[in-house]
Amino acid sequence: ETKRIYIDSQTPEPEYIEEAAKLIQKGQLVAFPTETVYGLGANALDAHACAEIFKVKGRPQDNPLIVHVSNFDMVKSVAEDWNEQAKRCAEAFWPGPLTLVLPKTAFIPDTVSAGLGSIGIRMPSHPVALSLIEKAGVPIAAPSANLSGKPSPTNGIHVWKDLQGRIPLVLDGGACNVGVESTVLDLTGKAPMILRPGGITKERLEEVLGEVKVDHPSENQAPKAPGMKYRHYAPTGELYLLIGEREKILSRMTEAIQKAHSRLRKVGILCTLESASELHSQLPDLLFVLGSEKRPEEVAASLYEGLRLCDEQGIDVILAEGVSKNGLGFAIMNRLEKASGQKILYL
Ligand code: TXA
Ligand code: MG
């Protein structure tokens, strides 16, 4: 049976941290909040415990785990080459939503890195995550705490729904602030390259590193982050992403709502605050306001909740309004594009 402990996200109760840390040391799994999404953690030095993560999630074996650290001594046990760029990134963005891909040490089992010679490392800023790692005294390998193929969990309820009965403990610290996963930055090549856009924007990275490239996988080139090739974040309903001028999006959505209703299908709308009133008057079955287009942090923080809600309410057709790709919008649109399975309408 899974135990769920409500923990203080700002000042975690030491006895709860201790209980969780002991499980990690014994080779068991614990779900815990980070500032991005919840993680499903195990001792990163314990191959058997890490193999269990793959089983519990139903995760493909070729998809490496991110290793979470709480101090720089731990970094040394994980990364073989802590280079100049890594130092600058850590100085600027750690603890925080940035994962650095570097050559790995021999301490890290192949299970964790999925056989790659590199490892993704991150120092999270969430007080519960940091104190859990510190108390356990070992780096913690943790993917997002969802079942594979579901949207990442951004609150304890999401984790509970996905993993109840499969793991011994969920530390429930409420909602995650950032709401999209960390930026995965590859520092093993000549130029730094974003493999997955996330909580730290390209613009901010470039302030520290100069030019940063972005991995653009194509038909004949697999993404460099193995996880990016899967159809992640996919709701059961068919999701269409609408991009363009507001007037055009609104009229297209209005038509689509009517058409779907004439076929007795349930329609869900994911839209910005600026579009909400007008779409509400079209009577969709679900209207989920992601946040103001002026505040992408708000949109990022609510995105996965919106996707999960569509499934819970049995929505057949989901119409999502695109946002600007600047800043955090780049990560938001990356997730929406994936959720749509590339069903994107440019208006
Ligand atoms: O915000 C986050 O990063 C959350 C929290 C829990 O820290 N974790 C997370 O983990 O999103 P996961 O496993 O859901 O996604 C990790 C991504 C995958 O796309 C994986 O392929 C990629 O990072 N990745 C991990 N190690 C890598 C490596 N050595 N080389 C390339 N990509 C790597
Ligand atoms: Mg994930």
Side-chain angles (χ1 to χ4, degrees):
E1 276 316 281
T2 305
K3 182 169 175 185
R4 177 170 171 189
I5 295 178
Y6 293 91
I7 192 165
D8 186 325
S9 66
Q10 291 314 304
T11 324
E13 294 82 350
E15 65 270 31
Y16 298 156
I17 292 296
E18 188 158 334
E19 184 173 341
K22 277 192 181 136
L23 285 170
I24 295 287
Q25 288 165 348
K26 281 197 294 186
Q28 308 234 50
L29 307 191
V30 175
F32 61 95
T34 83
E35 70 278 21
T36 56
V37 301
Y38 275 72
L40 176 60
N43 177 355
L45 309 177
D46 181 339
H48 188 263
C50 292
E52 194 61 25
I53 291 179
F54 287 81
K55 273 196 224 155
V56 162
K57 277 188 58 118
R59 183 181 178 93
Q61 295 291 333
D62 71 347
N63 194 4
L65 307 177
I66 292 172
V67 172
H68 298 72
V69 298
S70 58
N71 62 57
F72 286 92
D73 287 332
M74 275 186 197
V75 170
K76 282 183 207 137
S77 71
V78 179
E80 187 61 60
D81 174 27
W82 186 243
N83 62 37
E84 203 50 47
Q85 286 173 330
K87 282 179 199 154
R88 280 165 50 190
C89 286
E91 164 105 359
F93 303 113
W94 277 6
L98 177 66
T99 295
L100 302 173
V101 173
L102 290 161
K104 79 173 191 76
T105 65
F107 296 112
I108 300 297
D110 283 341
T111 324
V112 176
S113 58
L116 297 178
S118 63
I119 191 77
I121 312 171
R122 165 164 124 79
M123 189 184 290
S125 64
H126 196 292
V128 171
L130 271 182
S131 43
L132 174 61
I133 304 163
E134 194 65 19
K135 188 77 195 174
V138 289
I140 293 186
S144 47
N146 52 296
L147 291 175
S148 232
K150 290 261 203 166
S152 293
T154 49
N155 63 44
I157 302 157
H158 298 161
V159 179
W160 183 251
K161 285 182 176 160
D162 278 14
L163 300 182
Q164 180 189 3
R166 297 175 186 244
I167 57 173
L169 180 63
V170 177
L171 291 178
D172 188 335
C176 302
N177 289 329
V178 179
V180 291
E181 301 84 343
S182 64
T183 301
V184 177
L185 183 70
D186 184 1
L187 294 178
T188 64
K190 278 201 193 97
M193 184 185 270
I194 293 174
L195 306 187
R196 177 180 72 181
I200 298 291
T201 64
K202 178 170 186 276
E203 292 86 338
R204 289 182 70 195
L205 288 171
E206 288 189 324
E207 282 170 21
V208 171
L209 295 172
E211 198 201 343
V212 171
K213 296 197 154 38
V214 179
D215 186 30
H216 286 294
S218 61
E219 292 262 315
N220 35 31
Q221 190 162 16
K224 293 191 172 60
M228 297 297 277
K229 72 171 173 281
Y230 297 104
R231 190 189 163 210
H232 264 145
Y233 325 111
T236 311
E238 266 189 90
L239 187 144
Y240 295 88
L241 176 57
L242 284 74
I243 299 175
E245 286 171 36
R246 161 148 305 116
E247 283 313 309
K248 291 183 181 164
I249 291 179
L250 291 177
S251 73
R252 196 60 175 267
M253 284 193 179
T254 301
E255 277 169 39
I257 292 169
Q258 287 164 4
K259 199 166 144 196
H261 279 165
S262 73
R263 296 177 177 166
L264 302 179
R265 303 181 78 194
K266 286 180 91 174
V267 190
I269 302 280
L270 304 176
C271 69
T272 61
L273 177 63
E274 287 78 3
S275 300
S277 297
E278 180 144 355
L279 289 168
H280 173 76
S281 67
Q282 304 302 321
L283 305 176
D285 300 274
L286 169 68
L287 183 99
F288 185 89
V289 180
L290 293 164
S292 169
E293 66 180 1
K294 299 193 205 84
R295 293 186 295 273
E297 329 77 67
E298 218 169 88
V299 176
S302 68
L303 180 61
Y304 292 149
E305 169 78 15
L307 290 174
R308 280 181 178 256
L309 214 56
C310 288
D311 275 354
E312 282 170 15
Q313 303 206 359
I315 300 296
D316 303 299
V317 181
I318 304 162
L319 307 167
E321 177 184 356
V323 296
S324 150
K325 284 195 179 180
N326 294 329
L328 205 49
F330 190 45
I332 294 166
M333 290 299 279
N334 171 273
R335 307 307 192 267
L336 279 172
E337 284 168 14
K338 281 177 173 293
S340 79
Q342 305 304 317
K343 291 188 292 297
I344 305 171
L345 306 178
Y346 298 93
L347 303 170

